[in-house]
Amino acid sequence: MINFSSGLICLLGALAALGAAAIDMYLPSLPSIESELGGVSGSAQFTLSSFFIGLGLGQLCYGPISDSLGRLKVLVVGLLIYCLGSLFCFFAGTMMELIAARFFQALGAAAGDVFSGKKAAQAQSFINLAFSFTPLMAPLFGGYLLIFFGWRSIFIALLLFGIICLLILILKIPETLPKEKRNTLGLVSIVLGYRTILRNSRSIGSILSGALAFSCMFTYFAASPFIYIDLFKIPDQYYGFLFGLNVLGIIGTNLINARTVIKYGPLVMLRIGVSMMCVGSVVLVGASFFDVLGIIGIIIPLFFIIGSMGFIGANAISIALEPFSELAGTTASLFGFTQMTLGAFCGFLVGSFYDGTAVPMAVIIMILAFTSLFFLTVLVANNAETED
């Protein structure tokens, strides 16, 4: 049994916030980065795509490696990669250099995601608090760093965050996985585990439905700085307030879900979340095409689209895990890899089709939302009815 000291619990909370901070803190700076480093219109979004690719690959690999070599070694290496990636981001002189540096920054941050996922119930509330608090505050902090010190200062802040985590880890935290409990790292067993999950239509349907829904949020991440700051002329430092509004929506739906999921079950709550996202996406497309209510016509449907994630995230992974309690880590890794890969693709789409309006974002979100509903209906809900 792991002894969850206050130091370890704080570290777990910081690790849970590591990847989120690296995404959210620099979002207000995307227009400034594109302006300074140049490149084609929308190229700054590719830095977000490369980050998602790094996170996805890292989540796929770190779990099995840490189960074999131990948590501490893997996390030290991951944090070193994260710190070096942050430093390379600071010194990037071209957009391509920043895209590459963001990939390595994410590859390191993924180790924190895996480690913080292996936690005891007593640490759960603190880690959830850190994970919820980060996207609420990081864009605000990043916006003010951008105004006073420029966008490169954001990566210095992220570097310092990583160094603090690394020092705490080395000086205060022992290895939490003894040698006698480690697994043999075998490629065949890993591949067989993933194949087992992929052959279960209910699990893969839930993973796809959840990942596509998450991609709606990632599309919003990539597009919203340009829509709010460039299109609607919102000052950089105020972007975080609009971003935080949607985070409050997620927190609210998470609270509702926690109170109702026991009564109605994860499938019903997942249906509610995906349906809410679909309706919001239709309203968003209409408001974008016809310029209804200006920025208010964008903010209101986005609040419900992003807020629906509180009904989707936990329930999608819960349904995916149902048939595979012995493959929980593998299933969670596959879910994370799928959502990050799709998120990277959506960042690429937003960058490719950005035309100075909210229309590309709205259309991409609508396509993703209804595709999520399709997989939920065909692979998850229909199989549930067959089993019943």
Side-chain angles (χ1 to χ4, degrees):
M1 183 74 175
I2 298 171
N3 178 23
F4 277 77
S5 64
S6 58
L8 179 55
I9 292 175
C10 288
L11 178 65
L12 289 173
L15 292 174
L18 201 65
I23 294 172
D24 301 332
M25 192 180 294
Y26 99 120
L27 289 178
S29 69
L30 285 178
S32 297
I33 289 173
E34 186 168 286
S35 176
E36 180 176 328
L37 296 185
V40 298
S41 177
S43 59
Q45 283 101 329
F46 299 156
T47 65
L48 199 57
S49 292
S50 67
F51 192 90
F52 291 145
I53 292 172
L55 273 182
L57 290 174
Q59 289 176 354
L60 203 61
C61 300
Y62 280 131
I65 294 174
S66 67
D67 287 342
S68 175
L69 301 181
R71 315 280 189 245
L72 191 61
K73 293 177 183 176
V74 172
L75 189 53
V76 168
V77 171
L79 284 172
L80 284 172
I81 295 172
Y82 173 85
C83 290
L84 286 174
S86 300
L87 190 62
F88 292 155
C89 288
F90 173 79
F91 285 111
T94 67
M95 191 66 74
M96 285 305 300
E97 289 177 3
L98 184 59
I99 289 170
R102 287 285 287 171
F103 171 82
F104 285 103
Q105 187 187 38
L107 199 61
D113 287 344
V114 172
F115 190 84
S116 62
K118 302 175 185 297
K119 53 192 176 290
Q122 68 190 102
Q124 179 77 52
S125 59
F126 183 84
I127 293 169
N128 286 347
L129 178 62
F131 195 76
S132 299
F133 185 73
T134 301
L136 196 60
M137 297 304 299
L140 288 171
F141 185 50
Y144 281 101
L145 282 175
L146 172 65
I147 292 299
F148 291 109
F149 304 106
W151 64 267
R152 295 180 190 273
S153 66
I154 295 171
F155 293 107
I156 290 296
L158 292 172
L159 171 62
L160 293 175
F161 186 20
I163 290 173
I164 291 170
C165 289
L166 184 60
L167 290 175
I168 294 173
L169 177 69
I170 294 173
L171 297 176
K172 297 291 185 180
I173 307 301
E175 173 60 65
T176 60
L177 184 65
K179 291 183 179 180
E180 62 272 14
K181 292 187 178 181
R182 297 177 189 178
N183 300 327
T184 301
L185 185 62
L187 180 61
V188 174
S189 61
I190 294 172
V191 172
L192 287 176
Y194 284 126
R195 188 181 73 169
T196 300
I197 298 165
L198 290 170
R199 293 174 67 179
N200 185 287
S201 57
R202 181 172 166 84
S203 284
I204 195 62
S206 181
I207 289 172
L208 287 171
S209 181
L212 285 160
F214 267 98
S215 296
C216 293
M217 184 169 65
F218 295 151
T219 301
Y220 161 74
F221 286 172
S224 60
F226 293 89
I227 292 170
Y228 289 152
I229 296 172
D230 283 352
L231 179 60
F232 291 107
K233 308 303 179 185
I234 300 297
D236 296 340
Q237 66 270 31
Y238 297 144
Y239 168 82
F241 290 104
L242 294 175
F243 189 91
L245 181 66
N246 294 317
V247 176
L248 291 176
I250 296 176
I251 294 172
T253 51
N254 264 312
L255 292 173
I256 295 172
N257 183 72
R259 291 176 175 271
T260 56
V261 69
I262 299 298
K263 180 178 180 180
Y264 296 106
L267 180 56
V268 171
M269 301 310 296
L270 181 57
R271 280 171 162 167
I272 291 173
V274 174
S275 299
M276 178 176 163
M277 181 171 280
C278 288
V279 172
S281 70
V282 173
V283 176
L284 180 63
V285 167
S288 302
F289 267 109
F290 301 107
D291 193 24
V292 178
L293 299 178
I295 192 173
I296 300 299
I298 304 297
I299 291 173
I300 293 175
L302 277 175
F303 176 81
F304 289 98
I305 292 168
I306 306 304
S308 69
M309 293 309 307
F311 293 133
I312 294 172
N315 293 310
I317 190 64
S318 174
I319 295 170
L321 288 171
E322 281 176 3
F324 306 112
S325 57
E326 75 284 2
L327 293 173
T330 305
T331 306
S333 293
L334 184 61
F335 185 89
F337 173 76
T338 305
Q339 73 180 40
M340 292 302 167
T341 302
L342 284 171
F345 178 66
C346 291
F348 172 78
L349 287 179
V350 170
S352 299
F353 291 102
Y354 180 67
D355 61 355
T357 73
V359 172
M361 176 190 73
V363 171
I364 292 170
I365 286 176
M366 186 175 70
I367 292 171
L368 291 168
F370 278 92
T371 307
S372 173
L373 181 63
F374 170 79
F375 283 117
L376 174 60
T377 303
V378 173
L379 295 181
V380 182
N382 284 350
N383 281 325
E385 291 169 3
T386 302
E387 291 172 7
D388 293 342

